Amino acid sequence: MKNVVVRTISGVGFVLVILACLLINRYLFAAFIILMMISMMHEFYRMTMGDLYRNSRIIAIATGVTLFLLIFFLQCYGLPAKFISCALVPLLVLMVYSLYEKDRENFGKFPFIYTGLLYIAAPLSLVNLLAFDSEGNFSAVLLLCFFIINWGSDIGAFCFGTAFGQKEGRRKLFPSISPKKSWVGFWGGLFLALVFAAILHFAGIFHFPLCHCLGLAVTIHIGGVYGDLFESQWKRWCSVKDAGNIIPGHGGMLDRFDSTIFAVCCAAIYLVVFNLF
């Protein structure tokens, strides 16, 4: 019960911070995503590599931040798209620097640095495309809708899974990776995701036909589940419970946004496939 209270209080506080960063202005949005990227990449590297290759990890994080800022300036100020190629500069520096790393015995772990760029930095950089319209005006309402639906999915999965999914005989969703996740939680999360999407639609916030709002909810839920399982696989391989401890009751930023990364990417693909954006 104590853990649930701590989780709820810290979760509500964190949601309020996210709302402020997504709704007030583009600079708070950029600062939040950059902080999120730095924290998540740091947690991923610490989880998979320990203290190895610190300088290379710093260069990798700088590469991710550079990519985000270039796309941000492209969307916000009309920076020519060709300048996005400048993100290759720190990436090439990282590759060259790897030649000078003294620790060759553990070099088999060095590819985790590139995994962090692909897994975390690239998707977070591309959220810029969802936060600005074609004229460069900032509006993160759509992105916020994706977040809210994903939160609904998480809440539904946690509540239904905790209340009904842990009884003996209940089928588990993916026991080899996450023994506590159940099919009851999966369907509970889907139900609440659909409810949240419908509420946002009828409130006039989610500006798509109802069928697509519900389709996006299903997409976000399934993407979020796989995002959660993907991170759980890494944690199980690294033998850690949480990637970090920055958010009381939730763990690290990677633990909190593991599902969000996949969910938002899947939602963006849905928009492109159905020509909604």
Side-chain angles (χ1 to χ4, degrees):
M1 180 60 69
K2 181 180 178 181
N3 183 61
V4 172
V5 173
V6 171
R7 184 183 177 94
T8 301
I9 294 174
S10 62
V12 170
F14 197 62
V15 165
L16 293 176
V17 171
I18 294 174
L19 289 174
C21 292
L22 292 182
L23 296 178
I24 292 179
N25 63 49
R26 55 194 175 187
Y27 303 113
L28 277 177
F29 159 77
F32 170 69
I33 299 297
I34 289 173
L35 177 61
M36 185 174 157
M37 180 187 296
I38 292 172
S39 298
M40 291 173 71
M41 292 182 73
H42 170 69
E43 289 169 358
F44 179 77
Y45 291 147
R46 183 178 58 187
M47 178 174 66
T48 56
M49 304 171 67
D51 292 328
L52 296 173
Y53 306 121
R54 287 189 174 185
N55 291 337
S56 293
R57 286 151 56 176
I58 292 172
I59 298 172
I61 292 172
T63 302
V65 173
T66 299
L67 178 61
F68 173 86
L69 288 174
L70 288 169
I71 300 178
F72 177 79
F73 290 135
L74 167 69
Q75 292 293 97
C76 193
Y77 299 110
L79 179 75
K82 63 183 179 181
F83 284 103
I84 294 178
S85 62
C86 292
L88 292 173
V89 174
L91 180 61
L92 292 172
V93 170
L94 171 64
M95 293 176 179
V96 172
Y97 188 82
S98 70
L99 300 173
Y100 296 93
E101 288 284 7
K102 296 180 180 179
D103 186 352
R104 313 306 297 181
E105 182 178 348
N106 295 292
F107 198 70
K109 291 188 175 183
F110 197 88
F112 291 141
I113 290 182
Y114 303 115
T115 303
L117 284 167
L118 182 63
Y119 171 34
I120 299 169
L124 289 181
S125 296
L126 293 174
V127 299
N128 279 302
L129 303 179
L130 298 173
F132 293 88
D133 62 23
S134 59
E135 297 178 355
N137 299 311
F138 174 70
S139 177
V141 173
L142 177 60
L143 187 60
L144 180 60
C145 286
F146 291 168
F147 273 58
I148 292 173
I149 294 170
N150 187 57
W151 293 335
S153 171
D154 286 346
I155 293 170
F158 177 77
C159 293
F160 281 87
T162 301
F164 307 109
Q166 304 308 313
K167 296 180 180 180
E168 188 175 351
R170 299 291 187 182
R171 290 185 61 190
K172 299 302 180 181
L173 183 63
F174 223 119
S176 62
I177 293 177
S178 188
K180 291 186 177 181
K181 288 183 174 58
S182 65
W183 278 103
V184 173
F186 175 88
W187 294 115
L190 177 58
F191 169 74
L192 212 56
L194 290 168
V195 170
F196 276 36
I199 291 173
L200 290 170
H201 170 76
F202 289 114
I205 299 173
F206 209 11
H207 299 294
F208 296 116
L210 180 59
C211 62
H212 284 302
C213 290
L214 298 180
L216 280 163
V218 173
T219 302
I220 288 170
H221 171 68
I222 295 175
V225 168
Y226 277 106
D228 198 350
L229 288 170
F230 183 73
E231 196 228 359
S232 294
Q233 180 175 242
W234 280 105
K235 289 192 292 186
R236 181 166 288 272
W237 183 78
C238 296
S239 300
V240 299
K241 182 179 182 297
D242 295 316
N245 55 13
I246 193 172
I247 310 172
H250 292 268
M253 293 286 275
L254 187 57
D255 299 305
R256 179 60 272 176
F257 289 103
D258 54 355
S259 62
T260 307
I261 292 177
F262 273 49
V264 172
C265 287
C266 291
I269 293 170
Y270 183 102
L271 294 179
V272 172
V273 169
F274 288 97
N275 196 30
L276 296 173
F277 186 73

CSV table of all heavy atoms in Angstrom, one decimal, residues 8 34 71 98 101-102 105 108-109 112 119 124 139-140 143 160 174 183 193 197 199 215 219 243 251-252 258 268 272:
chain,number,residue,atom,x,y,z
A,8,THR,N,1.6,6.9,-6.7
A,8,THR,CA,0.5,7.8,-7.1
A,8,THR,C,0.9,9.2,-7.0
A,8,THR,O,0.8,10.0,-7.9
A,8,THR,CB,-0.7,7.5,-6.3
A,8,THR,OG1,-1.1,6.1,-6.5
A,8,THR,CG2,-1.9,8.4,-6.7
A,34,ILE,N,14.9,17.1,-24.1
A,34,ILE,CA,16.3,16.9,-24.0
A,34,ILE,C,16.7,16.3,-22.7
A,34,ILE,O,17.6,15.4,-22.6
A,34,ILE,CB,17.0,18.3,-24.2
A,34,ILE,CG1,16.9,18.7,-25.7
A,34,ILE,CG2,18.5,18.2,-23.8
A,34,ILE,CD1,17.4,20.1,-25.9
A,71,ILE,N,16.4,19.1,-35.7
A,71,ILE,CA,15.0,18.9,-36.1
A,71,ILE,C,14.1,19.9,-35.5
A,71,ILE,O,13.2,20.4,-36.1
A,71,ILE,CB,14.6,17.5,-35.8
A,71,ILE,CG1,15.4,16.4,-36.5
A,71,ILE,CG2,13.1,17.3,-36.2
A,71,ILE,CD1,15.1,15.0,-36.2
A,98,SER,N,36.3,5.8,-30.8
A,98,SER,CA,36.3,4.4,-30.3
A,98,SER,C,37.6,3.7,-30.6
A,98,SER,O,38.0,2.7,-29.9
A,98,SER,CB,35.1,3.6,-31.0
A,98,SER,OG,35.4,3.4,-32.4
A,101,GLU,N,39.9,4.1,-27.6
A,101,GLU,CA,39.5,3.6,-26.3
A,101,GLU,C,40.6,2.5,-25.8
A,101,GLU,O,40.9,1.6,-26.6
A,101,GLU,CB,38.1,2.9,-26.3
A,101,GLU,CG,37.0,3.9,-26.4
A,101,GLU,CD,36.7,4.6,-25.1
A,101,GLU,OE1,37.5,4.4,-24.1
A,101,GLU,OE2,35.7,5.4,-25.1
A,102,LYS,N,41.1,2.7,-24.6
A,102,LYS,CA,42.1,1.8,-24.1
A,102,LYS,C,41.6,0.4,-23.7
A,102,LYS,O,42.4,-0.5,-23.8
A,102,LYS,CB,42.8,2.5,-22.9
A,102,LYS,CG,43.5,3.8,-23.3
A,102,LYS,CD,44.2,4.4,-22.1
A,102,LYS,CE,44.9,5.7,-22.5
A,102,LYS,NZ,45.6,6.4,-21.3
A,105,GLU,N,39.3,-5.1,-23.9
A,105,GLU,CA,38.8,-6.4,-23.4
A,105,GLU,C,37.3,-6.4,-23.3
A,105,GLU,O,36.7,-7.4,-23.6
A,105,GLU,CB,39.4,-6.6,-22.0
A,105,GLU,CG,38.9,-8.0,-21.3
A,105,GLU,CD,39.5,-8.2,-20.0
A,105,GLU,OE1,40.4,-7.4,-19.6
A,105,GLU,OE2,39.1,-9.1,-19.3
A,108,GLY,N,33.3,-5.6,-26.6
A,108,GLY,CA,32.0,-6.2,-27.1
A,108,GLY,C,30.8,-5.5,-26.6
A,108,GLY,O,29.7,-5.6,-27.1
A,109,LYS,N,31.0,-4.7,-25.5
A,109,LYS,CA,29.8,-3.9,-25.0
A,109,LYS,C,29.7,-2.5,-25.7
A,109,LYS,O,28.7,-1.8,-25.5
A,109,LYS,CB,30.0,-3.7,-23.5
A,109,LYS,CG,29.8,-5.0,-22.7
A,109,LYS,CD,29.8,-4.7,-21.2
A,109,LYS,CE,29.5,-5.9,-20.4
A,109,LYS,NZ,29.4,-5.7,-19.0
A,112,PHE,N,26.5,-1.2,-27.5
A,112,PHE,CA,25.4,-0.7,-26.8
A,112,PHE,C,25.2,0.8,-26.9
A,112,PHE,O,24.1,1.3,-26.8
A,112,PHE,CB,25.5,-1.1,-25.3
A,112,PHE,CG,25.4,-2.6,-25.0
A,112,PHE,CD1,26.1,-3.2,-24.1
A,112,PHE,CD2,24.4,-3.3,-25.7
A,112,PHE,CE1,26.0,-4.5,-23.8
A,112,PHE,CE2,24.3,-4.7,-25.5
A,112,PHE,CZ,25.1,-5.3,-24.5
A,119,TYR,N,17.6,3.4,-30.1
A,119,TYR,CA,16.5,3.1,-29.3
A,119,TYR,C,15.8,4.3,-28.6
A,119,TYR,O,14.6,4.4,-28.5
A,119,TYR,CB,16.9,2.1,-28.2
A,119,TYR,CG,16.0,1.8,-27.1
A,119,TYR,CD1,14.6,1.7,-27.3
A,119,TYR,CD2,16.5,1.5,-25.8
A,119,TYR,CE1,13.8,1.4,-26.2
A,119,TYR,CE2,15.7,1.1,-24.8
A,119,TYR,CZ,14.3,1.1,-25.0
A,119,TYR,OH,13.5,0.8,-23.9
A,124,LEU,N,13.0,10.1,-29.9
A,124,LEU,CA,12.7,11.3,-29.1
A,124,LEU,C,13.0,12.6,-30.0
A,124,LEU,O,12.3,13.6,-29.9
A,124,LEU,CB,13.6,11.4,-27.9
A,124,LEU,CG,13.2,10.4,-26.8
A,124,LEU,CD1,14.0,10.6,-25.5
A,124,LEU,CD2,11.7,10.6,-26.4
A,139,SER,N,2.4,23.2,-31.2
A,139,SER,CA,1.1,22.7,-30.6
A,139,SER,C,1.4,21.2,-30.3
A,139,SER,O,1.3,20.4,-31.2
A,139,SER,CB,-0.1,22.9,-31.6
A,139,SER,OG,-1.2,22.3,-31.0
A,140,ALA,N,1.6,21.0,-29.0
A,140,ALA,CA,1.9,19.6,-28.6
A,140,ALA,C,0.6,18.9,-28.1
A,140,ALA,O,0.7,17.9,-27.4
A,140,ALA,CB,2.9,19.6,-27.5
A,143,LEU,N,0.5,15.3,-29.3
A,143,LEU,CA,1.5,14.5,-28.6
A,143,LEU,C,1.0,14.2,-27.2
A,143,LEU,O,1.1,13.1,-26.6
A,143,LEU,CB,2.8,15.2,-28.5
A,143,LEU,CG,4.0,14.5,-27.9
A,143,LEU,CD1,4.3,13.2,-28.7
A,143,LEU,CD2,5.3,15.4,-27.9
A,160,PHE,N,-6.0,-3.5,-13.3
A,160,PHE,CA,-6.7,-4.8,-13.6
A,160,PHE,C,-5.7,-6.0,-13.4
A,160,PHE,O,-6.1,-7.0,-12.8
A,160,PHE,CB,-7.2,-4.8,-15.0
A,160,PHE,CG,-8.5,-4.1,-15.2
A,160,PHE,CD1,-8.5,-2.7,-15.5
A,160,PHE,CD2,-9.7,-4.7,-15.2
A,160,PHE,CE1,-9.7,-2.0,-15.7
A,160,PHE,CE2,-10.9,-4.1,-15.4
A,160,PHE,CZ,-10.9,-2.7,-15.6
A,174,PHE,N,3.8,-12.6,-20.9
A,174,PHE,CA,5.2,-12.9,-21.4
A,174,PHE,C,6.0,-13.4,-20.2
A,174,PHE,O,6.9,-12.6,-19.8
A,174,PHE,CB,5.8,-11.7,-22.1
A,174,PHE,CG,6.5,-12.1,-23.4
A,174,PHE,CD1,6.1,-11.5,-24.6
A,174,PHE,CD2,7.5,-13.0,-23.4
A,174,PHE,CE1,6.7,-11.8,-25.8
A,174,PHE,CE2,8.2,-13.3,-24.6
A,174,PHE,CZ,7.8,-12.7,-25.8
A,183,TRP,N,-2.6,-11.4,-19.1
A,183,TRP,CA,-3.5,-11.1,-20.1
A,183,TRP,C,-4.7,-10.2,-19.6
A,183,TRP,O,-5.2,-9.4,-20.3
A,183,TRP,CB,-4.0,-12.3,-20.8
A,183,TRP,CG,-3.1,-12.9,-21.8
A,183,TRP,CD1,-2.2,-13.9,-21.7
A,183,TRP,CD2,-2.9,-12.3,-23.2
A,183,TRP,NE1,-1.5,-14.1,-22.9
A,183,TRP,CE2,-1.9,-13.1,-23.8
A,183,TRP,CE3,-3.4,-11.3,-23.9
A,183,TRP,CZ2,-1.4,-12.9,-25.1
A,183,TRP,CZ3,-3.0,-11.0,-25.2
A,183,TRP,CH2,-2.0,-11.8,-25.8
A,193,ALA,N,-7.5,2.5,-22.4
A,193,ALA,CA,-6.9,3.3,-23.5
A,193,ALA,C,-8.1,3.7,-24.4
A,193,ALA,O,-8.1,4.9,-24.8
A,193,ALA,CB,-5.9,2.5,-24.2
A,197,ALA,N,-9.3,7.6,-25.1
A,197,ALA,CA,-9.4,8.1,-26.4
A,197,ALA,C,-10.8,8.7,-26.8
A,197,ALA,O,-10.9,9.7,-27.4
A,197,ALA,CB,-9.0,7.0,-27.4
A,199,ILE,N,-13.0,9.8,-24.6
A,199,ILE,CA,-13.2,11.0,-23.8
A,199,ILE,C,-12.5,12.2,-24.5
A,199,ILE,O,-13.1,13.3,-24.6
A,199,ILE,CB,-12.7,10.8,-22.4
A,199,ILE,CG1,-13.6,9.8,-21.6
A,199,ILE,CG2,-12.7,12.2,-21.6
A,199,ILE,CD1,-13.0,9.5,-20.3
A,215,GLY,N,-8.8,3.5,-33.2
A,215,GLY,CA,-7.7,2.8,-33.8
A,215,GLY,C,-6.3,3.2,-33.3
A,215,GLY,O,-5.4,2.4,-33.1
A,219,THR,N,-3.5,1.0,-31.2
A,219,THR,CA,-2.1,1.0,-31.7
A,219,THR,C,-1.2,1.5,-30.6
A,219,THR,O,-0.1,0.9,-30.4
A,219,THR,CB,-2.0,2.0,-32.9
A,219,THR,OG1,-2.8,1.6,-33.9
A,219,THR,CG2,-0.5,2.0,-33.4
A,243,ALA,N,15.9,0.7,-14.1
A,243,ALA,CA,17.0,1.3,-14.9
A,243,ALA,C,17.5,2.5,-14.1
A,243,ALA,O,18.7,2.9,-14.3
A,243,ALA,CB,16.5,1.8,-16.2
A,251,GLY,N,10.9,4.2,-10.6
A,251,GLY,CA,12.2,3.9,-11.1
A,251,GLY,C,12.8,5.1,-11.8
A,251,GLY,O,12.7,6.3,-11.4
A,252,GLY,N,13.4,4.8,-13.0
A,252,GLY,CA,14.1,5.9,-13.7
A,252,GLY,C,13.2,6.4,-14.9
A,252,GLY,O,12.1,6.0,-15.1
A,258,ASP,N,9.5,3.8,-21.2
A,258,ASP,CA,9.8,2.7,-22.1
A,258,ASP,C,8.6,2.4,-23.0
A,258,ASP,O,8.8,2.2,-24.2
A,258,ASP,CB,10.2,1.5,-21.3
A,258,ASP,CG,9.2,1.1,-20.2
A,258,ASP,OD1,8.2,1.8,-20.0
A,258,ASP,OD2,9.3,0.0,-19.6
A,268,ALA,N,2.6,7.4,-34.7
A,268,ALA,CA,3.0,8.3,-35.8
A,268,ALA,C,2.9,7.5,-37.1
A,268,ALA,O,2.5,8.0,-38.1
A,268,ALA,CB,4.4,8.7,-35.5
A,272,VAL,N,0.6,8.3,-40.6
A,272,VAL,CA,1.2,8.3,-41.9
A,272,VAL,C,0.4,7.3,-42.9
A,272,VAL,O,0.1,7.7,-44.0
A,272,VAL,CB,2.7,8.0,-41.9
A,272,VAL,CG1,3.2,7.8,-43.3
A,272,VAL,CG2,3.5,9.1,-41.2
